[in-house]
Amino acid sequence: MSSRVNEFAFKIATANGTGSGSANGLIMQSIFRMGIPVTGKNLFPSNIQGLPTWYEIRVNKNGYTARTPVFDLVLALNAATYAKDVAEVRSGGWLLYDSTWPLDEKLIRPDVTYIGVPLADMCNTAFKGIRERILMKNIAYSGALAALIGIDPEIIRALTQEKYSKKPALMDSNQKAVALGFDYIKANFDCPLPIHLEPMDATKDSILIDGNTAASLGCVYAGATVGAWYPITPSTSMMEGFKGFCTRFRRDAETGKNRYAILQAEDELSAIGMVIGASWAGARAFTPTSGPGISLMNEFLGLAYYAEVPAVVFDVQRTGPSTGMPTRTQQGDIMLCAYASHGDTKHICLYPADPREAFEFAVNAFDLAERYQTPVFVLTDLDIGMNDWMIPKLTWDDSYTPDRGKVLSAEELEAAKSFYRYLDVDGDGIPQRSLPGVHPKGAYFTRGSGHNKFGGYTEDSDEYQEVLDRIGRKVQGAATAVPAPFIIRNPGAKVGIVTVGGCHAACVEAIDRLAQEGTPADYMRVRGFPFSDEVVEFLNEHVTNFVVEQNRDGQMRSLLLLETGVAGTKLKSVLFYSGFPMSAQYVIDGVMAKMLVTV
């Protein structure tokens, strides 16, 4: 294989529960600190321990971050998956394995170079205790990999010092394990390999972060003080992140008292109920969940929509239906969130593409929820939420002021002749609201049953329709306030590629490659619902738009058809729903195949 610098991918195959996460993170961070663009995808099982897990790392000097299904190097460290791992090595590539045990001759490929390292033997000799030997074996393969692909050992040493500075024994063990693997490779193999790293300066203005952490930080910056939740993969770490940030930033320095409330409910229905109650009382409140949780929340979401109570819901999507594959990614909740609950409902939805937008859209969500007095959904997915992404450093405008919407103050209520909670006083569909305890004139009954514009109970058809129609106009009005679509136009393009959320990385790379191959395409990533005029205009500009998404039924295409009036012949689905993050090659193959059929 010819030499390739800073442009290759490798895969690490281990078993869940063996502590490989620390080693994989060490490798990712080391490459990042060398100034080289890098991204990692963790493909892990839904059980606690024992089943196979893979960690994929892509190094790309051009900054492409989509998953690649082709691997130049595989570290096959789980005998249960040897056959699968060997098969995934690119022809001419390399496979590193633990040579403590002989490799079955059936696994030998003539077009692959095998690198045997006696990891278990070395660690059994160097360390005491079964658990320490297992953990240090992972760190030892980090050292071996460092020698093979040219990771700076000083950077690894610095990272272990930072992580274990308060635990000298652990620091010494980790550095010893790194040296075991590194020195063995140096002594027994020619290195670095033709695929290897060389320092760059492409990460100095970037950070490595996962979407759940970024979103939880966005909630803090947005002024959220209440979080209610029920644990569910893959959203659990978002509330853990929020708790960590609140412990640091939302604790009164003088009294030591918390200025936040985090409540673990008995189920998701209770969690959204707590959020609605806290939001009604004036707090900025949210809940993180996934598809099964949204299903359970539907009744209360209808209450918040009809009673016009703000609420923010983060849906970190996973595969379905039912339990599905809890640790795989998908975009199967697009329709569920847009129309959640029974009866006529429509909800504001935001679709971040990466952790940076997860941070930014978290702030947008609270502003929109309070401005429009309604539930707002932020739809990420497992890939965005739980994997490490390289993104530009997060920035913040210190002049930011939360948009609380039409909340009447005590002075305004005192001066008012009367206050009617559901009365549209200025024609934009959004009524005024009051917070409990502010002023006696602001008291009202929050009705989830039929009510008229004055807040009174009704079963009169005209009064009911008047309120429901106003709410519909109000939510539709948010089309001008949700994030605008991200659009790229390429000279000579005759078709459009449309996508949403975490498909962005694959689509952007595919757009570039298609242009290089003589098939330019315009590109639009939808970032908010209800859809703006810009979305409709883009679709109408092209005879054919390929809608790329990660679900079986083409849910974004269906939503576009329902809400824009664009002809169905203009929208062709390119679907990927295996549970793995999408690759650029899949987008290219899908678009080209559909294009041939269309022609």
Side-chain angles (χ1 to χ4, degrees):
M1 182 180 288
S2 60
S3 177
R4 275 188 284 117
V5 178
N6 298 340
E7 192 169 357
F8 58 91
F10 57 96
K11 187 171 188 175
I12 303 167
T14 58
N16 201 35
T18 59
S20 58
S22 295
N24 300 336
L26 181 65
I27 294 165
M28 269 277 293
Q29 293 171 46
S30 297
I31 297 172
F32 178 79
R33 289 203 181 182
M34 290 179 68
I36 305 166
V38 62
T39 188
K41 306 293 186 186
N42 189 18
L43 310 177
F44 60 103
S46 57
N47 75 326
I48 295 175
Q49 186 167 334
L51 288 183
T53 184
W54 293 270
Y55 194 77
E56 303 174 353
I57 294 180
R58 182 183 183 184
V59 177
N60 187 273
K61 61 187 177 185
N62 297 314
Y64 292 128
T65 59
R67 178 180 184 253
T68 175
V70 181
F71 301 98
D72 304 286
L73 168 66
V74 171
L75 281 68
L77 304 170
N78 181 4
T81 62
Y82 271 175
K84 178 180 177 65
D85 299 329
V86 168
E88 290 195 337
V89 183
R90 181 201 295 267
S91 181
W94 296 263
L95 183 132
L96 184 153
Y97 69 101
D98 187 346
S99 60
T100 301
W101 301 278
L103 200 62
D104 192 326
E105 291 185 2
K106 295 178 182 178
L107 299 173
I108 302 300
R109 283 175 50 187
D111 60 338
V112 170
T113 300
Y114 289 75
I115 302 170
V117 182
L119 294 166
D121 267 352
M122 292 192 302
C123 291
N124 286 343
T125 301
F127 302 103
K128 296 180 180 180
I130 295 175
R131 185 60 180 168
E132 184 182 26
R133 289 168 175 170
I134 293 173
L135 295 175
M136 290 306 109
K137 178 181 172 180
N138 295 323
I139 305 301
Y141 76 62
S142 301
L145 183 65
L148 286 173
I149 64 174
I151 297 176
D152 187 343
E154 290 302 317
I155 291 178
I156 295 183
R157 185 173 292 107
L159 283 167
T160 56
Q161 287 175 342
E162 290 173 19
K163 185 172 183 178
Y164 300 113
S165 60
K166 296 182 180 179
K167 300 177 180 179
L170 277 176
M171 182 175 66
D172 291 343
S173 294
N174 275 261
Q175 293 189 351
K176 182 179 180 181
V178 169
L180 282 175
F182 189 90
D183 293 344
Y184 186 89
I185 291 292
K186 284 288 188 180
N188 293 278
F189 298 95
D190 292 332
C191 53
L193 299 175
I195 53 163
H196 62 273
L197 307 170
E198 291 181 3
M200 292 178 64
D201 190 23
T203 65
K204 64 180 180 180
D205 294 320
S206 300
I207 59 173
L208 285 176
I209 192 171
D210 64 81
N212 284 351
T213 300
S216 66
L217 184 61
C219 292
V220 173
Y221 272 79
T225 56
V226 176
W229 67 311
Y230 183 78
I232 181 173
T233 301
S235 70
T236 297
S237 62
M238 183 178 169
M239 190 57 79
E240 292 170 348
F242 183 70
K243 181 179 184 298
F245 289 126
C246 284
T247 301
R248 183 175 177 185
F249 299 116
R250 288 254 160 86
R251 184 167 285 168
D252 189 277
E254 295 183 2
T255 65
K257 292 184 177 179
N258 294 333
R259 294 185 288 112
Y260 65 92
I262 295 176
L263 305 101
Q264 181 174 331
E266 63 270 30
D267 55 33
E268 289 88 349
L269 180 60
S270 296
I272 190 62
M274 294 172 181
V275 168
I276 293 168
S279 298
W280 173 84
R284 286 196 151 184
F286 73 98
T287 184
T289 189
S290 191
I294 302 291
S295 295
L296 291 172
M297 293 177 184
N298 266 242
E299 184 176 359
F300 265 156
L301 288 168
L303 168 65
Y305 174 83
Y306 191 35
E308 300 182 70
V309 181
V312 174
V313 180
F314 291 85
D315 179 8
V316 189
Q317 298 170 94
R318 70 188 206 185
T319 62
S322 188
T323 306
M325 294 187 293
T327 58
R328 294 289 184 264
T329 195
Q330 207 171 83
Q331 296 173 321
D333 302 342
I334 292 173
M335 296 292 285
L336 172 65
C337 291
Y339 303 117
S341 201
H342 57 278
D344 291 317
T345 56
K346 183 189 292 187
H347 302 293
I348 298 170
C349 298
L350 308 182
Y351 310 111
D354 57 32
R356 179 182 65 173
E357 286 192 340
F359 170 78
E360 295 170 349
F361 288 11
V363 180
N364 293 348
F366 287 100
D367 284 348
L368 290 167
E370 292 204 291
R371 185 189 311 171
Y372 291 94
Q373 303 172 26
T374 195
V376 172
F377 292 87
V378 182
L379 285 81
T380 65
D381 56 43
L382 183 145
D383 182 29
I384 296 172
M386 296 192 70
N387 283 326
D388 294 319
W389 292 65
M390 191 185 92
I391 61 167
K393 290 179 180 177
L394 299 175
T395 59
W396 182 252
D397 182 357
D398 285 332
S399 66
Y400 165 77
T401 300
D403 183 351
R404 304 305 305 271
K406 298 179 182 180
V407 179
L408 297 179
S409 65
E411 293 75 19
E412 289 171 321
L413 286 165
E414 177 63 33
K417 290 183 179 180
S418 58
F419 167 68
Y420 298 108
R421 173 64 181 91
Y422 300 113
L423 184 65
D424 181 7
V425 298
D426 53 15
D428 64 357
I430 306 172
Q432 297 172 333
R433 68 184 178 116
S434 64
L435 299 180
V438 169
H439 193 282
K441 282 188 180 180
Y444 67 94
F445 192 87
T446 305
R447 292 194 180 275
S449 56
H451 54 269
N452 60 27
K453 62 186 177 182
F454 301 111
Y457 176 82
T458 188
E459 294 188 18
D460 179 88
S461 299
D462 292 338
E463 290 184 332
Y464 163 77
Q465 285 185 224
E466 181 182 17
V467 171
L468 200 65
D469 289 346
R470 175 188 57 75
I471 295 173
R473 291 195 309 275
K474 175 188 76 170
V475 173
Q476 188 59 41
T480 60
V482 300
F486 176 87
I487 294 175
I488 297 174
R489 300 189 187 279
N490 286 308
K494 296 181 180 179
V495 300
I497 292 179
V498 179
T499 196
V500 62
C503 302
H504 177 67
C507 286
V508 168
E509 183 179 350
I511 288 282
D512 290 349
R513 288 170 54 184
L514 283 168
Q516 293 166 8
E517 296 167 8
T519 309
D522 289 335
Y523 175 64
M524 177 176 68
R525 174 166 58 87
V526 176
R527 302 201 302 165
F529 177 78
F531 302 127
S532 67
D533 290 343
E534 292 172 273
V535 172
V536 181
E537 290 166 3
F538 182 95
L539 297 177
N540 281 324
E541 285 172 7
H542 304 90
V543 174
T544 304
N545 297 278
F546 299 99
V547 185
V548 180
E549 52 187 308
Q550 295 187 92
N551 54 69
R552 184 194 68 183
D553 295 337
Q555 294 187 26
M556 178 52 65
R557 178 182 181 275
S558 296
L559 197 59
L560 289 166
L561 287 174
L562 283 169
E563 296 287 339
T564 67
V566 172
T569 54
K570 285 181 172 284
L571 305 180
K572 308 294 182 183
S573 286
V574 175
L575 305 175
F576 182 77
Y577 48 94
S578 70
F580 293 141
M582 186 178 287
S583 70
Q585 189 60 53
Y586 186 89
V587 177
I588 293 169
D589 292 345
V591 168
M592 295 306 294
K594 294 282 184 178
M595 198 175 291
L596 289 172
V597 172
T598 301
V599 172

